[in-house]
């Protein structure tokens, strides 16, 4: 058995959960915050049989879109604050960031 941990954008989360449920997968939705942007995102936990992992990854690929987002970098630590002009820069936020973990033991009590 595997545990798929997928960090996705909030905009894609509901659609992704619905697409997984329709195919018979179970999912847990956690509210999370990206360390870099400090903005809300969604982490989904999907426990499933190892043979089903490719199908789950396919659903994630089809559902989650990459988007460009503007970020204003923080003032450099120790740097000259008066001459620092914080220009917004664009970053591309996935898709999804996916980790597939081995599950040592699973049981429902
Ligand atoms: P954030 O940490 O808020 O990152 C949002 C986006 O900012 C990233 O998109 C990436 O394009 C950019 N970014 C992040 N760190 C950067 C850095 N040090 N320098 C320049 N740009 C940077 P994604 O890579 O698609 O990541 C989306 C979210 O997935 C992340 O939100 C984070 O919550 C999660 N994530 C990504 N990689 C991870 C990892 N290795 N471990 C745990 N969580 C991860």
């Amino acid at each position: 058995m595997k545990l798929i941990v997928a960090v996705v954008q909030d905009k894609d989360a509901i659609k992704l959960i619905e697409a997984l449920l329709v195919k018979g997968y179970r999912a847990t939705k956690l509210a999370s915050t990206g360390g870099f942007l400090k903005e809300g995102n969604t982490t989904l936990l999907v426990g499933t049989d190892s043979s089903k992992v490719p199908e789950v990854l396919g659903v994630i690929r089809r559902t989650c879109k990459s988007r460009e987002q503007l970020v204003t970098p923080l003032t450099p630590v120790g740097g000259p604050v008066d001459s620092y002009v914080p220009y917004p820069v664009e970053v591309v936020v996935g898709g999804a960031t996916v980790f597939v973990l081995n599950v040592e033991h699973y049981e429902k009590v």
Side-chain angles (χ1 to χ4, degrees):
M1 186 178 198
K2 301 282 186 187
L3 178 67
I4 299 166
V5 179
V7 184
V8 306
Q9 295 174 71
D10 289 344
K11 287 173 187 160
D12 296 324
I14 298 297
K15 222 171 122 184
L16 177 56
I17 290 169
E18 279 167 7
L20 290 169
L21 293 187
V22 162
K23 288 187 174 288
Y25 294 103
R26 293 173 172 216
T28 296
K29 176 180 181 291
L30 305 175
S32 46
T33 304
F36 187 68
L37 294 181
K38 314 274 188 301
E39 288 187 4
N41 54 27
T42 296
T43 300
L44 288 187
L45 306 180
V46 184
T48 189
D49 195 73
S50 303
S51 64
K52 302 283 187 189
V53 169
E55 185 176 32
V56 173
L57 296 182
V59 174
I60 295 172
R61 285 193 193 102
R62 285 193 295 278
T63 312
C64 297
K65 309 258 177 288
S66 294
R67 296 181 181 90
E68 290 181 348
Q69 201 159 324
L70 282 177
V71 190
T72 305
L74 299 172
T75 311
V77 178
V81 178
D82 49 349
S83 60
Y84 178 70
V85 183
Y87 290 108
V89 291
E90 256 177 14
V91 293
V92 178
V93 185
T97 300
V98 182
F99 304 88
V100 181
L101 314 176
N102 287 321
V103 175
E104 200 169 304
H105 178 75
Y106 165 78
E107 84 180 62
K108 270 180 76 101
V109 179

